[in-house]
PDB file of all heavy atoms in Angstrom:
ATOM      1  N   VAL A 170       5.574   2.076  23.380  1.00  0.00           N
ATOM      2  CA  VAL A 170       5.857   2.710  22.046  1.00  0.00           C
ATOM      3  C   VAL A 170       4.503   2.642  21.340  1.00  0.00           C
ATOM      4  O   VAL A 170       3.968   1.532  21.085  1.00  0.00           O
ATOM      5  CB  VAL A 170       6.953   1.974  21.231  1.00  0.00           C
ATOM      6  CG1 VAL A 170       7.050   2.537  19.835  1.00  0.00           C
ATOM      7  CG2 VAL A 170       8.329   2.055  21.886  1.00  0.00           C
ATOM      8  N   LEU A 171       3.924   3.808  21.032  1.00  0.00           N
ATOM      9  CA  LEU A 171       2.639   3.877  20.443  1.00  0.00           C
ATOM     10  C   LEU A 171       2.709   3.553  18.939  1.00  0.00           C
ATOM     11  O   LEU A 171       3.532   4.125  18.227  1.00  0.00           O
ATOM     12  CB  LEU A 171       2.079   5.288  20.673  1.00  0.00           C
ATOM     13  CG  LEU A 171       1.907   5.745  22.182  1.00  0.00           C
ATOM     14  CD1 LEU A 171       1.423   7.154  22.223  1.00  0.00           C
ATOM     15  CD2 LEU A 171       1.007   4.738  22.897  1.00  0.00           C
ATOM     16  N   LEU A 172       1.854   2.654  18.515  1.00  0.00           N
ATOM     17  CA  LEU A 172       1.789   2.276  17.105  1.00  0.00           C
ATOM     18  C   LEU A 172       0.725   3.007  16.328  1.00  0.00           C
ATOM     19  O   LEU A 172       0.884   3.318  15.173  1.00  0.00           O
ATOM     20  CB  LEU A 172       1.529   0.753  17.008  1.00  0.00           C
ATOM     21  CG  LEU A 172       2.618  -0.185  17.594  1.00  0.00           C
ATOM     22  CD1 LEU A 172       2.044  -1.589  17.610  1.00  0.00           C
ATOM     23  CD2 LEU A 172       3.935  -0.043  16.907  1.00  0.00           C
ATOM     24  N   SER A 173      -0.407   3.238  16.979  1.00  0.00           N
ATOM     25  CA  SER A 173      -1.549   3.860  16.367  1.00  0.00           C
ATOM     26  C   SER A 173      -2.491   4.375  17.394  1.00  0.00           C
ATOM     27  O   SER A 173      -2.493   3.921  18.509  1.00  0.00           O
ATOM     28  CB  SER A 173      -2.274   2.705  15.540  1.00  0.00           C
ATOM     29  OG  SER A 173      -3.416   3.279  14.832  1.00  0.00           O
ATOM     30  N   GLY A 174      -3.195   5.459  17.032  1.00  0.00           N
ATOM     31  CA  GLY A 174      -4.145   5.959  17.985  1.00  0.00           C
ATOM     32  C   GLY A 174      -4.467   7.438  17.700  1.00  0.00           C
ATOM     33  O   GLY A 174      -3.858   8.101  16.862  1.00  0.00           O
ATOM     34  N   ASP A 175      -5.444   8.001  18.433  1.00  0.00           N
ATOM     35  CA  ASP A 175      -5.967   9.356  18.220  1.00  0.00           C
ATOM     36  C   ASP A 175      -5.964  10.142  19.471  1.00  0.00           C
ATOM     37  O   ASP A 175      -6.517  11.255  19.476  1.00  0.00           O
ATOM     38  CB  ASP A 175      -7.324   9.354  17.592  1.00  0.00           C
ATOM     39  CG  ASP A 175      -8.348   8.738  18.526  1.00  0.00           C
ATOM     40  OD1 ASP A 175      -8.011   8.332  19.683  1.00  0.00           O
ATOM     41  OD2 ASP A 175      -9.537   8.612  18.126  1.00  0.00           O
ATOM     42  N   GLY A 176      -5.336   9.691  20.538  1.00  0.00           N
ATOM     43  CA  GLY A 176      -5.396  10.386  21.832  1.00  0.00           C
ATOM     44  C   GLY A 176      -6.378   9.747  22.768  1.00  0.00           C
ATOM     45  O   GLY A 176      -6.022   9.622  23.937  1.00  0.00           O
ATOM     46  N   HIS A 177      -7.458   9.355  22.324  1.00  0.00           N
ATOM     47  CA  HIS A 177      -8.496   8.754  23.193  1.00  0.00           C
ATOM     48  C   HIS A 177      -8.243   7.273  23.298  1.00  0.00           C
ATOM     49  O   HIS A 177      -8.462   6.674  24.365  1.00  0.00           O
ATOM     50  CB  HIS A 177      -9.894   9.059  22.665  1.00  0.00           C
ATOM     51  CG  HIS A 177     -10.176  10.477  22.603  1.00  0.00           C
ATOM     52  ND1 HIS A 177     -10.507  11.222  23.712  1.00  0.00           N
ATOM     53  CD2 HIS A 177     -10.144  11.342  21.540  1.00  0.00           C
ATOM     54  CE1 HIS A 177     -10.636  12.545  23.325  1.00  0.00           C
ATOM     55  NE2 HIS A 177     -10.385  12.586  22.044  1.00  0.00           N
ATOM     56  N   CYS A 178      -7.785   6.637  22.209  1.00  0.00           N
ATOM     57  CA  CYS A 178      -7.521   5.206  22.210  1.00  0.00           C
ATOM     58  C   CYS A 178      -6.148   4.993  21.497  1.00  0.00           C
ATOM     59  O   CYS A 178      -5.869   5.673  20.495  1.00  0.00           O
ATOM     60  CB  CYS A 178      -8.581   4.451  21.513  1.00  0.00           C
ATOM     61  SG  CYS A 178     -10.229   4.559  22.282  1.00  0.00           S
ATOM     62  N   TRP A 179      -5.385   4.033  21.977  1.00  0.00           N
ATOM     63  CA  TRP A 179      -4.053   3.722  21.392  1.00  0.00           C
ATOM     64  C   TRP A 179      -3.824   2.262  21.344  1.00  0.00           C
ATOM     65  O   TRP A 179      -4.318   1.494  22.169  1.00  0.00           O
ATOM     66  CB  TRP A 179      -2.993   4.305  22.324  1.00  0.00           C
ATOM     67  CG  TRP A 179      -3.002   5.778  22.486  1.00  0.00           C
ATOM     68  CD1 TRP A 179      -3.608   6.500  23.534  1.00  0.00           C
ATOM     69  CD2 TRP A 179      -2.489   6.762  21.606  1.00  0.00           C
ATOM     70  NE1 TRP A 179      -3.421   7.841  23.324  1.00  0.00           N
ATOM     71  CE2 TRP A 179      -2.780   8.006  22.168  1.00  0.00           C
ATOM     72  CE3 TRP A 179      -1.759   6.698  20.420  1.00  0.00           C
ATOM     73  CZ2 TRP A 179      -2.341   9.229  21.578  1.00  0.00           C
ATOM     74  CZ3 TRP A 179      -1.363   7.903  19.858  1.00  0.00           C
ATOM     75  CH2 TRP A 179      -1.669   9.141  20.399  1.00  0.00           C
TER      76      TRP A 179
END
Side-chain angles (χ1 to χ4, degrees):
V170 173
L171 303 176
L172 298 173
S173 181
D175 64 1
H177 301 281
C178 298
W179 299 96

